[in-house]
Amino acid sequence: TTGEAGGITQHIGAYDVVTDGGKKITFLDTPGHEAFTAMRARGAKVTDIVIIVIAADDGVMPQTKEALNHAMNAGVPIIIAINKIDKPNANIEKTKLSLAEHGIYLEGYGGTIPAVPISAKTGENVSGLLDMIILLADLGEFTGDLTAPAEGIVIEASMDPKKGVTATVIIKNGVSGSQCS
C-alpha cells in the first residue's frame, strides 16, 4: 500500500495460492476502506466464495457490515476470517458476539457462516482458512470445464505506457490459453 494514495489499496488485485493438497485458489482482494464500496460490490458478484476479514482487535466496522450485505445480496457462501489473533488485545469471542449483534450468525452461534481465526502476520491457522475454502468449494461444486473456450470477467483495466492496455481477468470457465469470450 505504500505506493497508493494515503497508504490505502485502491484497486482490485487477483492472486493465486496452491494449497498443501495441490488445489489452486484464486483470491480477489478488494479495498477494505469505506470509500471503495463499488469495488467490493463488484468483487462479491464475480466470486464463488466471499471471505470477510475482521480484525480481532477492532471488531465489526461499517465497511464490514457493508461487505457482508454485498456478499449476501450476491448469494454466495461467506467465510469470516478473524484476523490479528496474535495481538495482545485480540478478542475472538467478542468479535463473534459483535457479529451476532449485527445479525450475522456464525456456526456455533445459531448460524451457518463459518469463522476461522487467523494471524496473517504469523501465518497461524491460514491453512485452516484454506481448508475451509476448499470445503465450501467442494460442497458448492465450483468447477470449470477445461475443454470449453475460455470465458472470463475483466476485473480491472489500465493503460501501461510500455505495454498498452492491460487487464486483470478472472477465467471462470475454460483454459486461459484458448480464445476468450
Side-chain angles (χ1 to χ4, degrees):
T1 63
T2 55
E4 305 275 352
I8 299 169
T9 302
Q10 298 180 21
H11 68 280
I12 297 177
Y15 312 92
D16 289 329
V17 173
V18 178
T19 66
D20 291 338
K23 297 209 176 190
K24 183 175 165 183
I25 301 171
T26 300
F27 287 91
L28 288 183
D29 183 14
T30 60
H33 192 273
E34 61 188 335
F36 298 98
T37 297
M39 282 187 192
R40 282 192 297 282
R42 179 160 167 72
K45 289 178 185 172
V46 301
T47 60
D48 295 319
I49 299 169
V50 171
I51 302 165
I52 306 289
V53 181
I54 300 173
D57 59 340
D58 283 343
V60 178
M61 304 294 276
Q63 58 267 36
T64 306
K65 293 186 288 185
E66 175 249 313
L68 283 161
N69 286 333
H70 289 311
M72 287 186 220
N73 289 338
V76 297
I78 300 168
I79 299 171
I80 301 293
I82 301 174
N83 191 23
K84 299 186 180 181
I85 61 171
D86 56 296
K87 293 185 88 174
N89 57 338
N91 190 331
I92 297 169
E93 290 307 310
K94 183 177 177 184
T95 303
K96 290 179 178 181
L97 290 172
S98 178
L99 283 162
E101 289 170 2
H102 288 89
I104 308 303
Y105 301 105
L106 304 176
E107 290 177 344
Y109 287 79
T112 59
I113 299 173
V116 181
I118 65 165
S119 169
K121 185 176 181 179
T122 68
E124 183 180 349
N125 205 29
V126 170
S127 62
L129 176 60
L130 296 176
D131 289 344
M132 181 58 70
I133 295 166
I134 296 297
L135 175 65
L136 287 184
D138 287 346
L139 291 172
E141 299 179 359
F142 300 131
T143 59
D145 180 357
L146 297 179
T147 63
E151 182 179 334
I153 299 167
V154 175
I155 300 301
E156 211 171 49
S158 63
M159 175 61 88
D160 183 298
K162 295 181 181 177
K163 296 179 186 177
V165 176
T166 62
T168 301
V169 178
I170 298 295
I171 304 297
K172 297 287 279 185
N173 206 24
V175 179
S176 62
S178 62
Q179 185 162 343
C180 290
S181 61

